[in-house]
């Protein structure tokens, strides 16, 4: 996308291809099998770049990779309903500056929970995710009962799992 803008986070690279190469080199120095994780930041409403930066910060903190090299790509894309055109792509290096790879256990659940925290903090509507119950349990056990209560108020304590267009 010629209109895309890239920001580096904890990375000295000057552009996205160089950042990805840096992440690959860091991976190659370890037993890790993947160099980076690509995360879509697709709000349902129009968020500003600062708000998308906050989402990226929440995700990085929640995954425990806030010191790993990362790139945040902003671009606009028409969406159904006409809202939320600005969105982001967060690319996080799986290997940190200490040479330790990010934990991948329960990655989908952790990422989904991070997104619920971001939705809560930025005033988005609460999304019912496939890992709702696990996320709510984690939130309650880790001092975020406010987010867990918000999710329960929106979806009930034991909602049916949502159907997905793609298989797991």
């Amino acid at each position: 996308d010629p209109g895309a803008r890239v920001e580096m986070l904890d990375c000295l690279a000057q552009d996205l291809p160089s950042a990805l190469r840096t992440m690959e080199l860091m991976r190659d120095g370890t037993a890790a099998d993947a160099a980076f994780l690509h995360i879509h930041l697709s709000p349902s409403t129009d968020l500003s770049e600062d708000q998308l930066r906050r989402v990226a910060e929440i995700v990085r903190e929640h995954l425990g990779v806030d010191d790993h090299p990362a790139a945040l790509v902003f671009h606009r894309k028409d969406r159904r309903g006409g809202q939320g055109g600005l969105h982001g792509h967060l690319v996080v290096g799986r290997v940190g500056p200490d040479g330790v790879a990010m934990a991948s256990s329960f990655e989908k659940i952790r990422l989904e929970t991070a997104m619920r925290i971001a939705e809560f903090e930025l005033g988005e509507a609460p999304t019912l995710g496939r890992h709702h119950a696990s996320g709510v349990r984690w939130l309650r056990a880790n001092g975020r009962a406010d987010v867990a209560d918000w999710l329960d108020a929106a979806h009930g304590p034991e909602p049916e799992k949502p159907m997905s267009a793609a298989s797991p």
Side-chain angles (χ1 to χ4, degrees):
D1 177 3
R5 204 169 63 68
V6 180
E7 290 183 5
M8 298 302 148
L9 309 168
D10 296 304
C11 185
L12 298 176
Q14 298 297 309
D15 56 32
L16 185 58
S18 298
L20 297 177
R21 282 193 294 279
T22 298
M23 294 173 198
E24 289 171 338
L25 287 170
M26 292 175 77
R27 176 219 39 218
D28 292 347
T30 71
D33 59 354
F36 50 83
L37 176 62
H38 173 211
I39 303 162
H40 298 266
L41 307 177
S42 299
S44 63
T45 59
D46 283 317
L47 296 183
S48 68
E49 286 187 6
D50 283 341
Q51 289 171 311
L52 286 171
R53 276 186 206 94
R54 178 64 185 134
V55 174
E57 182 180 291
I58 289 167
V59 169
R60 292 176 73 209
E61 287 172 359
H62 192 74
L63 294 179
V65 296
D66 49 336
D67 62 343
H68 288 217
L72 182 56
V73 180
F74 299 102
H75 72 107
R76 292 198 172 276
K77 184 176 180 181
D78 291 337
R79 298 194 54 186
R80 283 186 231 158
Q83 289 194 334
L86 177 66
H87 69 277
H89 298 266
L90 175 63
V91 182
V92 179
R94 286 191 170 272
V95 177
D98 57 0
V100 175
M102 72 181 277
S104 61
S105 60
F106 304 105
E107 187 173 274
K108 289 179 183 178
I109 296 170
R110 290 179 15 237
L111 183 56
E112 187 176 295
T113 304
M115 290 302 175
R116 298 304 80 86
I117 294 169
E119 289 169 354
F120 176 80
E121 289 191 13
L122 294 167
E124 286 274 311
T127 302
L128 176 59
R130 294 208 35 91
H131 305 288
H132 174 82
S134 297
V136 167
R137 272 194 306 277
W138 185 92
L139 290 162
R140 291 197 188 288
N142 289 278
R144 291 308 308 256
D146 54 342
V147 181
D149 292 344
W150 175 72
L151 289 167
D152 280 347
H155 304 298
E158 295 182 32
E160 240 181 83
K161 284 188 177 186
M163 296 302 291
S164 142
S167 69

